Each structure stands twice: as structure tokens, then as C-alpha cells.
């Protein structure tokens, strides 16, 4: 169980590790598709009813670029929300989270931009050099974008938890009746 917690900590706290793992998985997929052609997505697209493989991959690449840009825009909103909040809980989060939290915030934005620009590059590669090399760049961009979206959702859930706790504290303070209101300021007569 401790090993799983350690592995989960690496995935949660070191986004660069996850991004490098994604690139490694794409390289492993490429190597495996050289040995077993059935794993090659580009070859599979060539025999489908899609017909124009270049057109299909270009459209997919532009779609991934759009999704990446959308995730990047939402990441900016979430990061500004986390950085700009001035209550004590957010200050504590920023102070205690320090470098690891900053790495997560930068990661969602950087991964989104990487996915968006990389997908545009993939579209150019598909048009200029063929479907095969462009498909591998597109696969990496799709996975990096998915990584950004998942990490962003986790960050948003954490920030929402802080807001919920702050709202609970506010409601508790609002609903608390001071003791002096119940028994009065003056001591009872003797």
C-alpha cells in the first residue's frame, strides 16, 4: 500500500515525470507498431472508409489543437482563481504547496500550450511529410492534452474543497450565538 501511495505521489506532485512517461509511452507504441503493424493507427486509418488519411489526420490534429486551447483557457482561469484568492485557506495552500503546487499550476498551462501548438505542427507534418510521422506527433499531443485536462480537474476539485470549507466556516460563524446573548453581560443578583 505504501508503494502505491509513493507512486501516486509521483504522479500527483511531479507533472514533468508524467509528461516524460507519456512521451516514453508514445515511443514504445511506435516501436511496438514497427514489430506488430496492427498497432499502427495510421495504417488502420488507411484501410477504413475514411479514405483520405491525410485529410482525416489533419482534421483530428486541428480538433486536438482546439481542445488543447480550450483546456489552456480553462487552466488560466483556475490558476488565477487559486493565485488571486485572498482568504487564509488559500494562503495556507500556497505556502504549504510551494514548489509542487506551482509545478502543477504551470504544468496544466504548459501542457495545454504544448498540445495545441504540437497538434498544429502535427497537421503541418501530415500535409508536408505524410500521415505516418504526423500521427505520432498527434498521439503525443493528444495524450499531453489529456494529462493537462485530468490534472486541471484534480486541481479544480482541490480548490473547490477549499471554497467549501471556507463556506462552512462562514456559515458556522454566522449561525453561532455569543454566550453573552444567552445569559447576559451582568452577573446574576445575589
Amino acid at each position: 500500500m505504501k508503494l502505491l501511495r509513493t507512486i501516486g505521489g509521483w504522479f500527483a506532485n511531479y507533472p514533468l515525470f508524467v509528461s516524460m512517461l507519456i512521451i516514453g509511452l508514445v515511443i514504445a507504441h511506435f516501436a511496438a507498431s514497427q514489430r506488430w503493424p496492427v498497432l499502427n493507427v495510421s495504417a488502420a486509418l488507411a484501410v477504413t472508409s475514411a479514405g483520405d488519411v491525410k485529410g482525416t489526420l489533419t482534421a483530428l490534429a486541428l480538433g486536438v489543437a482546439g481542445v488543447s486551447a480550450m483546456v489552456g483557457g480553462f487552466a488560466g482561469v483556475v490558476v488565477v482563481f487559486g493565485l488571486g484568492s485572498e482568504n487564509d485557506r488559500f494562503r495556507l495552500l500556497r505556502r504549504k504547496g510551494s514548489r509542487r503546487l506551482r509545478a502543477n499550476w504551470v504544468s496544466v498551462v504548459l501542457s495545454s500550450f504544448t498540445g495545441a501548438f504540437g497538434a498544429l505542427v502535427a497537421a503541418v507534418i501530415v500535409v508536408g511529410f505524410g500521415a505516418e510521422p504526423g500521427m505520432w506527433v498527434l498521439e503525443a499531443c493528444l495524450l499531453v492534452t489529456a494529462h493537462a485536462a485530468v490534472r486541471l480537474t484534480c486541481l479544480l476539485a482541490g480548490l473547490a474543497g477549499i471554497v467549501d470549507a471556507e463556506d462552512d466556516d462562514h456559515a458556522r460563524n454566522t449561525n453561532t450565538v455569543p454566550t453573552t446573548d444567552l445569559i447576559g453581560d451582568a452577573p446574576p443578583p445575589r
Side-chain angles (χ1 to χ4, degrees), residues 162-188:
I162 292 172
V163 170
D164 286 345
E166 187 71 26
D167 289 346
D168 289 345
D169 285 350
H170 180 70
R172 190 177 310 109
N173 290 339
T174 302
N175 295 333
T176 301
V177 177
T179 312
T180 56
D181 288 355
L182 294 175
I183 56 174
D185 288 336

Side-chain angles (χ1 to χ4, degrees), residues 31 94 111 142 179:
R94 290 189 299 259
S111 293
L142 177 67
T179 312

Side-chain angles (χ1 to χ4, degrees), residues 73-88:
F74 188 57
V77 171
V78 170
V79 169
V80 167
F81 173 64
L83 289 174
S85 297
E86 289 299 322
N87 69 45
D88 292 336

Side-chain angles (χ1 to χ4, degrees), residues 73-153:
F74 188 57
V77 171
V78 170
V79 169
V80 167
F81 173 64
L83 289 174
S85 297
E86 289 299 322
N87 69 45
D88 292 336
R89 288 184 188 270
F90 278 102
R91 281 191 199 98
L92 181 65
L93 170 74
R94 290 189 299 259
R95 192 172 55 248
K96 293 228 181 218
S98 112
R99 288 186 14 217
R100 297 289 34 118
L101 183 61
R102 193 173 323 121
N104 275 284
W105 282 344
V106 170
S107 170
V108 293
V109 175
L110 189 58
S111 293
S112 300
F113 288 162
T114 301
F117 290 120
L120 292 175
V121 169
V124 170
I125 290 172
V126 166
V127 170
F129 300 102
E132 183 74 23
M135 194 273 309
W136 296 110
V137 174
L138 177 60
E139 181 178 328
C141 294
L142 177 67
L143 293 174
V144 166
T145 298
H147 168 234
V150 168
R151 190 168 293 277
L152 179 62
T153 303

